[in-house]
Amino acid sequence: MKIILNNKEEILELNEDKISVNKLLEIKKYSFPRLIVRINENLIKKENYNTTFIKDGDKVDIIHMISGG
Amino acid sequence: MNFQEIKFRLSKKIVGIAGCGGLGSNCAVSLARVGIGKLILADYDIIEESNLNRQYFFYDQIGKEKVFALKENILRINPNIDVQAHLVKLNSNNIIEIYKNCDIIVEAFDKAEMKEMIVETVLKNFPDKYLVCGVGLAGYGKNDLIKTERFGRLIIVGDRQNETCENNPPIAPRVCAVSNLMANVVLEILLGDENENNS
């Protein structure tokens, strides 16, 4: 499966043709508490990370917010 | 475009600054110098001596509300700017009301949870607005780590890795660099839009 992750092409070797947001976060080791996740520019709520799936060709943004200003 | 032209185009624009600390004060001052028409500022905090290592305030302003002191400093630099100052802690409700007429919103908070809150609020309620965020600016050196990344209308400026902590404090050179890169992105968007309209 090929997606665009944070503006870069990313190839995922999966048994299925989709992956949940939570699973992607796990694979890519995004363990930070403050994340913004968007699929094709739609914001995904945290409570939906398990039930929202990413498909081939999707554009996914995962932005990690850190303190400082 | 010559400066008169830039100034004239910017004079019709409204920029919202969410937070008036290191990022917000420096970004706002930069935008004021080039003649943005209107700045909408919001912050609830008071100036402390420890803020002066990076924030655009003066020693004799310690104890004042940041939002009012920033308005004062902006007007000393450029009295032609319409500055609206809100002494308030921003949340997902008042952000919508305060910034609804802005062309662009600048996220200039300190804490990660506040940054997350405004990104979620703006993406949900104002999908057509540009939001420029500062993420990763603590410490010193490492110039080449600072980047500008675009995610549609959400633009992230910073190194996206250096979080503020005891041994990695936010201090003027890097914080001001990121703030001014944010102001620079704001100009690019505002003047870019104008170019499209004219062509």
Side-chain angles (χ1 to χ4, degrees):
Chain A
M1 185 168 115
K2 194 160 81 180
I3 63 170
I4 304 292
L5 178 60
N6 289 350
N7 296 322
K8 286 186 201 96
E9 206 178 274
E10 176 87 31
I11 295 177
L12 302 168
E13 302 293 342
L14 304 171
N15 298 324
E16 281 184 289
D17 59 354
K18 60 178 187 179
I19 181 172
S20 73
V21 171
N22 254 343
K23 191 75 192 160
L24 180 70
L25 294 178
E26 191 189 310
I27 292 178
K28 297 303 295 176
K29 301 190 172 61
Y30 279 97
S31 53
F32 313 105
R34 301 289 169 190
L35 288 176
I36 301 289
V37 177
R38 295 202 304 177
I39 302 176
N40 301 324
E41 305 227 336
N42 295 310
L43 181 69
I44 310 301
K45 288 186 187 160
K46 284 176 184 50
E47 58 264 35
N48 296 335
Y49 283 1
N50 258 327
T51 52
T52 305
F53 291 88
I54 296 154
K55 306 178 304 299
D56 190 64
D58 279 347
K59 184 179 181 300
V60 183
D61 302 325
I62 303 176
I63 305 161
H64 162 211
M65 290 294 163
I66 59 177
S67 287
Chain B
M1 224 184 290
N2 66 36
F3 181 56
Q4 286 312 315
E5 230 172 355
I6 290 173
K7 213 165 74 170
F8 175 71
R9 290 180 178 197
L10 294 178
S11 71
K12 294 179 281 182
K13 302 294 185 183
I14 307 173
V15 176
I17 307 280
C20 298
L23 291 174
S25 63
N26 288 293
C27 184
V29 162
S30 220
L31 293 172
R33 289 191 192 278
V34 289
I36 287 285
K38 182 171 180 175
L39 287 170
I40 301 179
L41 315 174
D43 198 292
Y44 68 96
D45 210 3
I46 302 279
I47 301 165
E48 291 175 45
E49 190 172 347
S50 63
N51 300 147
L52 298 182
N53 67 0
R54 64 190 187 284
Q55 304 186 13
Y56 209 110
F57 300 112
F58 299 93
Y59 197 84
D60 61 10
Q61 291 178 316
I62 291 170
K64 285 191 178 179
E65 294 86 359
K66 290 183 182 180
V67 76
F68 298 140
L70 183 57
K71 178 174 179 175
E72 191 180 301
N73 295 345
I74 287 169
L75 294 176
R76 281 180 68 190
I77 292 166
N78 188 344
N80 302 313
I81 294 179
D82 180 2
V83 184
Q84 206 181 84
H86 297 267
L87 180 65
V88 67
K89 179 158 186 170
L90 290 168
N91 59 46
S92 53
N93 296 317
N94 58 21
I95 282 173
I96 301 170
E97 193 48 39
I98 291 173
Y99 296 115
K100 64 181 179 212
N101 295 322
C102 292
D103 294 295
I104 300 187
I105 302 170
V106 171
E107 174 284 310
F109 292 131
D110 179 19
K111 295 191 177 68
E113 58 264 34
M114 290 291 282
K115 291 178 185 283
E116 184 187 40
M117 179 277 291
I118 195 171
V119 172
E120 287 180 351
T121 305
V122 172
L123 290 180
K124 226 177 282 173
N125 297 282
F126 299 129
D128 296 330
K129 270 197 210 305
Y130 282 94
L131 175 65
V132 181
C133 299
V135 181
L137 44 75
Y140 54 88
K142 302 177 198 152
N143 279 3
D144 43 350
L145 288 185
I146 298 173
K147 287 181 296 193
T148 299
E149 226 173 322
R150 288 158 199 279
F151 303 90
R153 293 186 175 223
L154 170 65
I155 296 154
I156 310 280
V157 182
D159 65 22
R160 294 177 65 195
Q161 49 183 280
N162 277 285
E163 186 152 37
T164 298
C165 62
E166 182 69 27
N167 292 314
N168 206 23
I171 43 181
R174 228 160 174 263
V175 174
C176 298
V178 170
S179 327
N180 279 285
L181 289 173
M182 292 168 80
N184 200 29
V185 170
V186 168
L187 292 201
E188 187 173 40
I189 296 163
L190 293 177
L191 299 171
D193 278 356
E194 290 279 345
N195 284 339
E196 275 166 34
N197 294 341
N198 290 347
S199 62

